[in-house]
Amino acid sequence: MEIKELVTELSDYCRSYSYAGHDPYDALNSPLIQRLTFKNKYLRIIATQLVRRSPINIRPLLGIQKGENPKGIGLFLWGYTKLHRMDPKKEYKEEMGYLFSRLEALESQGYSGSCWGYNFDWQSRTFFRPKGTPTIVNTSFIGHALLDAYETFGEKTYLEKALSIRHFMLKDLKRTRLDEDSFCFSYTPVDTAVVHNANMLGASLLIRLYAHCREEEVKVAALSALSYSMKHQREDGSWYYADTFSEKWIDSFHTGFNLQALRWFIQEGHGESYREAYNKGVDYYASNFFLEDGTPKYFHNQVYPIDVHAPAQAIVFFSGEGEEYRDLTEGILRWTVRHLYSGEGWFYFQKNRHWMNRISYMRWTQAWAFHSLTEYLRRKTIT
């Protein structure tokens, strides 16, 4: 099947549900689970993991409704922006207008600037984040999509919404300082989690925003946050997910997020001093997360479970690395379509060693597939 045809089928599928669906981590939206976990951290984590790992979608039995996830909406907006760049159809622009209106409606309230969270409560090992608590990751992806939409159409509403994000990042997020010249942004305003992909994604959005606002505070914050995570890059070019004892793993798609963030700095003319580190990171990414047939590994030292995020982010990233990585990109793409595409307009969640999780998740799976395939088509058109 041609990728353009696949994208059309995926678009039709997602539009038929108005971009609403279940999510791997939405267990706490269940009224039953809310009662049975008694607000206990460990019971919340266990319940979330049991629902996430189930190969059968038991959410309807638990009263979990399908919903709109802001990050997913942002990824769909980004995808239609790319489609419009290649083929300026009226329907793409109309879809973008609808998705932008949904982002406005889903925006978290009570913060210094525009920001977005998840449509479910979220319990981690260290913090409880209520539904709607804005995250730097969600907000950064949406911000990048808004900037690309503005650069495509020149409509100031997209730019104004993106620029508003800088106030959220600079005023509402906490900072963990390493030294005088570097700090890490928190994951949300209610925690102090130090997570490198989140920090670098936020920093990369700020450096792109700086090109439009020219505020020195924005540039300084972006470079300081980047400095923090670059000082934590390992000698082989990799990063741990975070530097707490329980979070020292190295996985595929978060590695891709880190490198994509760093590439934005280089493209904006503010990351040349990290060029060698970037090249080392790209080499590590390409050399440690893929088998010869394009199979995307989850961790650097473990293949399964193969989560759709791994090939999706790899396609996004390596599509932008040019001819040197074309064979790798094509191999990952072929593997993804062969093993994770349902044949009915949507993608599966995970492939495990002996079984497949075929549940359709709108944000985690379909939005990421749409984002990656449209990026592949855009890059292929450019070259």
Side-chain angles (χ1 to χ4, degrees):
M1 177 184 294
E2 291 288 333
I3 299 302
K4 288 183 179 179
E5 181 183 349
L6 197 158
V7 167
T8 299
E9 290 190 1
L10 179 57
S11 172
D12 290 343
Y13 172 85
C14 297
R15 290 171 65 183
S16 72
Y17 289 95
S18 299
Y19 307 100
H22 288 131
D23 193 274
Y25 296 94
D26 62 6
L28 298 184
N29 277 349
S30 164
L32 178 62
I33 288 178
Q34 288 176 12
R35 290 196 296 270
L36 294 179
T37 52
F38 307 105
K39 297 184 179 180
N40 180 275
K41 175 176 75 172
Y42 299 104
L43 291 178
R44 283 170 168 167
I45 292 173
I46 290 170
T48 299
Q49 290 301 317
L50 286 175
V51 174
R52 186 182 77 86
R53 294 171 185 268
S54 172
I56 301 172
N57 191 7
I58 60 176
R59 290 167 181 79
L61 299 176
L62 296 171
I64 301 173
Q65 303 297 315
K66 293 180 178 180
E68 294 173 296
N69 187 293
K71 184 178 178 182
I73 298 296
L75 291 172
F76 284 119
L77 173 69
W78 209 350
Y80 282 112
T81 299
K82 291 176 282 190
L83 290 178
H84 194 278
R85 281 185 177 181
M86 294 181 288
D87 186 6
K89 291 181 178 179
K90 180 181 178 182
E91 65 187 78
Y92 295 151
K93 190 171 184 180
E94 290 176 346
E95 210 63 26
M96 290 176 63
Y98 169 75
L99 292 164
F100 181 73
S101 72
R102 297 312 304 148
L103 285 177
E104 289 186 307
L106 295 168
E107 190 172 324
S108 299
Q109 300 301 310
Y111 296 92
S112 301
S114 295
C115 53
W116 293 266
Y118 292 117
N119 59 318
F120 46 81
D121 292 342
W122 173 31
Q123 177 71 65
S124 73
R125 295 168 179 153
T126 51
F127 291 94
F128 175 69
R129 287 96 164 182
K131 179 188 303 185
T133 303
T135 79
I136 190 172
V137 172
N138 282 18
T139 303
S140 296
F141 275 113
I142 292 169
H144 282 298
L146 290 169
L147 283 178
D148 277 11
Y150 168 70
E151 291 169 2
T152 298
F153 297 107
E155 294 183 5
K156 289 189 176 181
T157 51
Y158 292 120
L159 178 61
E160 289 168 355
K161 184 62 66 176
L163 283 171
S164 176
I165 293 171
R166 74 192 192 280
H167 301 304
F168 162 71
M169 290 191 175
L170 296 180
K171 297 178 181 180
D172 297 327
L173 294 175
K174 296 179 173 62
R175 302 182 183 190
T176 297
R177 190 162 289 280
L178 180 65
D179 51 43
E180 185 177 343
D181 300 319
S182 56
F183 67 80
C184 183
F185 282 115
S186 62
Y187 207 96
T188 76
V190 302
D191 64 59
T192 55
V194 174
V195 178
H196 292 300
N197 80 90
N199 180 55
M200 293 177 75
L201 284 168
S204 69
L205 177 61
L206 285 177
I207 205 64
R208 288 189 70 192
L209 292 174
Y210 172 72
H212 297 280
C213 69
R214 309 308 293 183
E215 295 172 359
E216 192 67 13
E217 180 185 12
V218 173
K219 182 177 77 169
V220 170
L223 292 172
S224 296
L226 178 64
S227 173
Y228 182 99
S229 290
M230 293 310 299
K231 288 176 180 177
H232 286 81
Q233 186 182 26
R234 303 174 74 229
E235 182 61 31
D236 60 7
S238 67
W239 286 267
Y240 289 127
Y241 173 77
D243 286 316
T244 59
F245 177 78
S246 61
E247 296 174 303
K248 285 191 173 181
W249 68 76
I250 306 170
D251 70 78
S252 178
F253 58 88
H254 288 118
T255 298
F257 293 169
N258 292 348
L259 290 167
Q260 186 174 8
L262 182 52
R263 186 166 70 189
W264 269 310
F265 273 89
I266 293 171
Q267 290 172 343
E268 291 292 325
H270 297 281
E272 197 57 40
S273 63
Y274 296 117
R275 174 73 69 173
E276 182 178 349
Y278 175 77
N279 291 337
K280 185 181 291 187
V282 174
D283 182 66
Y284 183 90
Y285 189 23
S287 301
N288 288 273
F289 289 104
F290 311 98
L291 304 183
E292 289 187 8
D293 66 348
T295 301
K297 299 159 59 177
Y298 194 105
F299 298 103
H300 73 295
N301 57 356
Q302 177 181 319
V303 176
Y304 297 101
I306 303 176
D307 190 296
V308 69
H309 262 50
Q313 175 58 22
I315 291 167
V316 168
F317 181 78
F318 288 112
S319 291
E321 284 297 295
E323 188 65 29
E324 181 180 357
Y325 292 98
R326 175 167 295 186
D327 288 345
L328 176 60
T329 305
E330 296 288 345
I332 298 167
L333 179 64
R334 285 194 299 271
W335 186 95
T336 303
V337 174
R338 184 180 305 122
H339 293 277
L340 296 181
Y341 183 58
S342 68
E344 299 177 350
W346 53 279
F347 284 78
Y348 302 141
F349 170 44
Q350 281 185 346
K351 176 177 173 57
N352 291 272
R353 186 180 299 276
H354 301 297
W355 59 280
M356 181 78 74
N357 187 319
R358 292 181 168 85
I359 299 174
S360 173
Y361 293 119
M362 190 61 71
R363 184 266 305 199
W364 189 272
T365 308
Q366 313 317 330
W368 269 98
F370 190 68
H371 172 48
S372 68
L373 295 177
T374 52
E375 181 68 9
Y376 169 79
L377 290 176
R378 183 180 79 87
R379 294 289 186 175
K380 192 172 183 180
T381 301
I382 292 172
T383 56

